Amino acid sequence: MDVIEAAYERLAAVLGDGLVKRNEPMSRHTLTKMGGNADIFAAPETFEQAAQVVAIQKQFDIPFMILGNGSNLIVRDGGIRGLVMHFKHLQSITVDQQSLTLRAQGGANIKEASRSALDYSLTGLEFACGIPGTIGGAMVMNAGAYGGEVKDVIDYVTIITPEGEIKRLYKEELELDYRKSIIGRKRYIVLEAVFQLAEGDPAVIKEKMDDLTFQRESKQPLEYPSVGSVFKRPPGYFAGKLIQDSGLQGKGYGDAEVSTKHAGFIVNKGEATATDYLRTIDMVQRTVKENFGVDLELEAKIVGEE
C-alpha cells in the first residue's frame, strides 16, 4: 500500500467515508471551474477533526494544502498531489450584540459576514460585501477593498499550527500588511476569526454596501468564471490600465481571455484549461513588461502539477 492510500484509509477511519474522498476534481471547487484532481480531499465538520487531519498529514508526511472557496486560486491541469482540506462544513457566523463582535468560522464567506453585520446594524465590514473569498483566505491575505481591509476590524483568530496545535492569535501578533500576514508565512490554518465592529445606522450601512456592490458589478466581469483580480497593483500604476493600454483585452488562449469589461481579469469563456489560463497570464506579463517596463506580480496563487 502506498503512502497516499494509507493516509486516505487513516483519514476515512477518523472522519468517516463521507468526509474524505479520493481523486476529487478541483474544478468543482475553484471559481475558475478549472483544475485536475486532488489525491485526497477532506472536509472536517469540527475544529478537532480539522486538527486531526493536520496531525495525520504530518504523520504520513504527504503534501498538504488548505482550500478556501477557490476564489484566488489556479489549479494546474495535473491536479494536486497529497491532501487538500476544505472547510465547507465550517461556515457558521454568529453576532454578539452586547460586545459588538462577529465570529465567523474559517470556511464562511466574508461577503456573508458583511451581510450578517448589516443584519445587526454593525459597521466596519462594509468593504467586504463584494469580496468572494472565505474568512480563512481573507485572513491569510489581509483582504481589502474600497479603502477598508481586514486589519481594520480583526480582534483575534483561532488557528491550527502545522504541528496540529490549536492556538489563538490577537491582531498585534498577525503581522497584517498589504495582502499578507503571519498566517500565510507560518502556514497556519484559520479555524475562526472574531471581528470587533461598532454600532451603526442600518440605512447608512446598507447604502454604502449597495453602492460598493454596484461599483463591483458594473465594472467586473462577474458573468464568467475567473480567479478574480489576477495581478497585484504595481507601485505607481494600475495593472488593469497597463493591460488595457497594451491592447490585450479580448486576447488569450483557448477559452481563456483578458476581459473586455475589466482588463485586470482573465475569464473562462467556456472550456478553458488551466494551461490556457496560465499561457494567457504569461502573455499579459510579457507584453506589459515590453511596453512599459513594469513587472506584473500575481495576486492569484498557482498550485498543482502540469
Side-chain angles (χ1 to χ4, degrees):
M1 183 186 300
D2 69 16
V3 67
I4 293 294
E5 195 61 36
Y8 167 74
E9 292 198 1
R10 176 68 180 141
L11 285 161
V14 171
L15 271 67
D17 287 336
L19 301 180
V20 186
K21 296 180 180 180
R22 284 281 271 128
N23 298 315
E24 176 71 3
M26 294 303 292
S27 57
R28 296 176 180 171
H29 305 284
T30 59
L31 294 195
T32 60
K33 305 300 181 187
M34 301 180 303
N37 294 354
D39 287 341
I40 308 174
F41 186 87
E45 292 181 318
T46 67
F47 291 175
E48 291 71 25
Q49 284 183 341
Q52 286 178 303
V53 170
V54 174
I56 291 169
Q57 175 271 329
K58 185 173 176 62
Q59 175 191 344
F60 286 91
D61 192 26
I62 58 175
F64 173 70
M65 67 167 281
I66 182 76
L67 175 70
N69 72 337
S71 61
N72 199 41
L73 188 70
I74 301 166
V75 179
R76 293 188 179 97
D77 297 319
I80 299 175
R81 303 290 70 80
L83 168 65
V84 173
M85 180 163 66
H86 187 27
F87 281 175
K88 65 180 182 178
H89 301 303
L90 294 171
Q91 298 186 353
S92 79
I93 300 170
T94 56
V95 173
D96 184 333
Q97 282 190 289
Q98 187 169 1
S99 63
L100 306 180
T101 55
L102 181 145
R103 180 184 303 269
Q105 292 184 332
N109 194 302
I110 194 167
K111 281 196 300 187
E112 296 303 322
S114 178
R115 290 170 186 151
S116 293
L118 167 62
D119 289 342
Y120 287 87
S121 303
L122 296 180
T123 183
L125 274 175
E126 291 91 331
F127 73 90
C129 67
I131 296 175
T134 61
I135 291 293
M139 291 307 313
V140 170
M141 294 288 292
N142 182 30
Y146 301 110
E149 54 187 346
V150 161
K151 75 174 184 179
D152 299 333
V153 287
I154 189 64
D155 184 6
Y156 67 85
V157 297
T158 303
I159 57 98
I160 309 174
T161 69
E163 292 70 43
E165 180 186 2
I166 297 177
K167 291 175 61 176
R168 178 179 291 187
L169 296 176
Y170 286 89
K171 177 179 180 176
E172 56 272 16
E173 301 174 274
L174 294 174
E175 298 179 16
L176 297 167
D177 204 344
Y178 179 68
R179 299 299 178 265
K180 60 185 177 182
S181 70
I182 196 174
I183 296 166
R185 187 161 58 78
K186 295 277 193 178
R187 295 186 297 114
Y188 294 150
I189 297 165
V190 176
L191 291 172
E192 68 175 5
V194 175
F195 299 93
Q196 183 63 61
L197 305 177
E199 288 184 298
D201 181 333
V204 173
I205 297 169
K206 185 176 186 304
E207 182 179 9
K208 183 174 182 180
M209 289 173 64
D210 287 346
D211 178 56
L212 295 180
T213 299
F214 173 77
Q215 289 186 50
R216 178 173 180 266
E217 291 180 350
S218 63
K219 296 175 182 176
Q220 297 183 10
L222 303 180
E223 62 271 25
Y224 293 112
S226 82
V227 78
S229 183
V230 180
F231 304 104
K232 294 180 180 178
R233 179 179 174 182
Y237 298 92
F238 290 98
K241 183 73 163 56
L242 293 172
I243 297 165
Q244 180 179 323
D245 290 349
S246 294
L248 295 176
Q249 287 179 282
K251 296 184 178 180
Y253 292 90
D255 276 346
E257 178 183 290
V258 178
S259 170
T260 56
K261 190 173 185 181
H262 189 313
F265 287 69
I266 295 173
V267 296
N268 178 359
K269 296 288 291 284
E271 301 297 327
T273 64
T275 301
D276 295 331
Y277 209 86
L278 292 170
R279 287 183 70 196
T280 303
I281 287 173
D282 181 65
M283 179 262 294
V284 169
Q285 288 175 314
R286 283 189 289 104
T287 305
V288 168
K289 178 69 171 178
E290 290 167 5
N291 289 344
F292 300 101
V294 176
D295 291 307
L296 291 182
E297 184 182 353
L298 278 180
E299 184 163 309
K301 182 181 179 183
I302 302 170
V303 300
E305 300 192 353
E306 299 287 354

